[in-house]
Amino acid sequence: MVPTATCRVCAGTVTEFMDFGRQPLSDAFRDPADTSEEFFYRLAVGACADCEMVQMMEEVPRERMFHEGYPYYSSGSSVMRDHFRSTAQKLLAEHAAGDDPFVVELGCNDGVMLETVARAGVRHLGMEPSTGVSEVARDKGVRVRNAFFEKATALRIREEDGPADVVYAANTFCHIPYVDSVLEGITALLAPGGVFVFEDPYFGDVSEKASFDQFYDEHFFLFTATSVRNMARRFGLELVDVERLPTHGGELRYTLAREGSRTPAPAVGALLAEEDKRALTSPEVLSSFTRRVGENRERLVEELRSLRDQGRRVVGYGATAKSATVLNFCGIGPDLLEFICDTTPAKQGRLTPGSHVMVRDHGAFTDSYPDYALLLAWNHAEEIMAKETGFRDAGGRWLRYVPDVRTT
Ligand code: SAH
Ligand code: TYD
Ligand code: ZN
């Protein structure tokens, strides 16, 4: 029998469509001297028959993921720095035009977005439970509170700072299973004409590209316009705009407002109709996704084994959180990958969770180019290709697995 779970949004029935097996915490990079037992959970995902929300079958306690040592620093990509600078400018122009506007961000991380808001002299608050990354935000002049955003903390903001004109969250709302608490908090915090704007990986792109590594502990939900519209309604909110973004392999930016307060943009109806046509959460489309993922896994492992057997040097590029799913699901360890290079100091000298591949600095890659590089940070392909032309010039080849396994 196919396992089921209770929908975190509507309490309907979630039917599993993909089981990735036992997985570690994706950002728990490990000190090689650490001999303590690693934490594992079962990563499986399903879709709700009632509200269409794609979600994990099991939830990982939030404190295990987001804490002082959380090693993801948003400013590590120049494309993302530009993206968040222009996002801040857009939010300020469109939603913070009145007297003394107030901007709140969930998951402000190292201040990559709020830095621009702070520089503009606009009142703001970043909610960030991971204290390490938040210190970098503070150094940039960003006002941060180290707490999880939820109803209680939202009420406190409302009491102390007054209503927010815009609440923004990038790659954070999909990390939060307790949506009822967050959306009740947001409705309490927003000014009457205020908006909640958030952007997260789009299940429509995940389905199209079979980018199964968008599933890992921190990504509890994979949203669509349809599932977000259905969720918002339950809280008196309405989906009034959607925008497709090229970031992180394909995302959607959603704008929610109080029901009836704004006329929805034509893009909303158009995307809802497109999703209807694609039947993204129908059993047929979901089982085709599962099948393609299985095929890609086999091809990737075959390719890596064959390269090893030919005595080629293969390294990974980018110790992403996503890579935890790829490495552990495919059984890729130090026998197939010599090391993974990554520019994040907090990950260097550590082992990847579960798969135990050493993470080394960028110089380890450029000092002695390997024959092949497995592009684990495939969502940053353009930026990486632009700066690594030397690798190709030296005869190196990229190995990719999204949307299918190929060398380029
Ligand atoms: N916005 C950044 C960071 C994304 S990583 C970007 O797009 O790059 C997700 C961040 O959300 C982490 O820094 C994590 O600590 C934070 N987070 C997780 N749960 C949260 C919650 N309930 N409220 C606020 N931040 C949260
Ligand atoms: P990212 O794909 O943004 O997110 P996630 O961890 O959620 O999957 O992570 C990118 C990682 O790749 C991050 O650890 C920084 C690293 N990186 C490099 O090492 N070099 C680069 O040029 C870029 C863009 C990223
Ligand atoms: Zn549901």
Side-chain angles (χ1 to χ4, degrees):
M1 233 181 55
V2 184
T4 58
T6 303
C7 177
R8 271 311 231 131
V9 179
C10 80
T13 303
V14 177
T15 305
E16 185 174 306
F17 63 87
M18 180 88 222
D19 182 1
F20 294 95
R22 267 165 47 89
Q23 292 280 338
L25 302 171
S26 60
D27 270 314
F29 293 87
R30 212 171 147 79
D31 184 336
D34 186 351
T35 52
S36 66
E37 208 180 308
E38 256 179 306
F39 174 84
F40 286 89
Y41 70 101
R42 186 176 85 95
L43 174 61
V45 288
C48 174
D50 294 326
C51 74
E52 296 196 27
M53 186 63 84
V54 173
Q55 57 199 281
M56 284 170 52
M57 304 298 287
E58 280 174 30
E59 168 177 341
V60 173
R62 61 189 188 179
E63 289 80 7
R64 281 196 178 269
M65 300 183 277
F66 311 116
H67 45 68
E68 189 185 358
Y70 184 65
Y72 182 73
Y73 288 74
S74 302
S75 297
S77 147
S78 68
V79 168
M80 293 311 294
R81 288 198 296 277
D82 291 347
H83 168 76
F84 286 119
R85 191 179 314 111
S86 59
T87 297
Q89 285 157 351
K90 190 171 149 108
L91 291 177
L92 290 174
E94 292 180 6
H95 304 295
D99 294 342
D100 191 26
F102 180 41
V103 178
V104 173
E105 184 179 18
L106 280 56
C108 69
N109 199 274
D110 62 7
V112 68
M113 194 289 286
L114 281 181
E115 178 179 17
T116 304
V117 175
R119 282 221 189 108
V122 169
R123 232 163 27 94
H124 64 275
L125 179 65
M127 293 293 280
E128 181 47 73
S130 299
T131 49
V133 294
S134 75
E135 284 313 312
V136 179
R138 283 202 181 92
D139 289 345
K140 293 173 179 166
V142 171
R143 179 175 167 237
V144 188
R145 178 166 299 157
N146 291 125
F148 287 96
F149 186 95
E150 57 192 332
K151 191 170 181 185
T153 48
L155 291 175
R156 185 177 154 207
I157 302 172
R158 167 89 201 204
E159 215 173 275
E160 293 176 3
D161 294 277
D165 299 280
V166 51
V167 176
Y168 174 75
N171 308 299
T172 297
F173 193 37
C174 77
H175 292 51
I176 301 181
Y178 40 102
V179 281
D180 43 352
S181 174
V182 167
L183 287 176
E184 282 168 19
I186 281 172
T187 51
L189 176 59
L190 279 183
V195 288
F196 175 34
V197 179
F198 60 99
E199 58 199 62
D200 287 292
Y202 178 39
F203 184 63
D205 285 304
V206 171
S207 171
E208 187 188 320
K209 297 176 189 164
S211 44
F212 65 92
D213 56 355
Q214 288 289 9
F215 290 109
Y216 56 90
D217 56 346
E218 296 170 23
H219 284 180
F220 188 83
F221 293 115
L222 261 289
F223 297 134
T224 59
T226 308
S227 60
V228 165
R229 186 258 329 253
N230 294 343
M231 170 170 65
R233 270 187 187 152
R234 306 177 64 82
F235 300 88
L237 295 167
E238 190 173 6
L239 179 61
V240 295
D241 206 359
V242 280
E243 185 187 348
R244 292 191 80 146
L245 302 172
T247 45
H248 292 306
E251 300 201 297
L252 270 191
R253 177 179 287 164
Y254 309 85
T255 304
L256 305 186
R258 289 186 205 281
E259 218 146 33
S261 68
R262 285 176 190 234
T263 310
V268 175
L271 189 58
L272 290 171
E274 184 187 314
E275 289 183 355
D276 248 11
K277 228 177 179 174
R278 291 181 65 189
L280 287 168
T281 56
S282 66
E284 298 72 35
V285 175
L286 293 176
S287 57
S288 133
F289 171 82
T290 307
R291 184 181 44 73
R292 283 184 294 143
V293 171
E295 287 167 7
N296 286 355
R297 163 163 78 165
E298 270 179 38
R299 285 201 200 110
L300 178 59
V301 174
E302 247 169 51
E303 185 65 37
L304 287 169
R305 286 193 182 140
S306 140
L307 292 172
R308 177 195 54 194
D309 296 346
Q310 293 164 39
R312 305 297 175 128
R313 283 187 62 219
V314 187
V315 311
Y317 197 107
T320 57
K322 291 181 287 295
S323 72
T325 297
V326 181
L327 303 182
N328 289 285
F329 179 57
C330 300
I332 300 167
D335 55 326
L336 296 175
L337 282 187
E338 196 178 310
F339 62 85
I340 299 176
C341 75
D342 194 286
T343 51
T344 315
K347 297 181 183 178
Q348 294 160 1
R350 294 184 165 251
L351 301 173
T352 55
S355 52
H356 299 181
V357 181
M358 179 56 82
V359 181
R360 300 184 60 191
D361 64 15
H362 183 241
F365 176 71
T366 48
D367 288 351
S368 163
Y369 283 133
D371 300 306
Y372 286 82
L374 176 64
L375 186 60
L376 295 162
W378 57 268
N379 47 309
H380 299 296
E382 246 176 74
E383 176 175 348
I384 292 169
M385 296 304 142
K387 73 176 178 200
E388 301 296 2
T389 50
F391 172 53
R392 288 283 321 225
D393 293 347
R397 291 282 174 274
W398 292 100
L399 175 54
R400 305 184 63 157
Y401 56 90
V402 173
D404 42 38
V405 178
R406 61 175 90 154
T407 45
T408 55

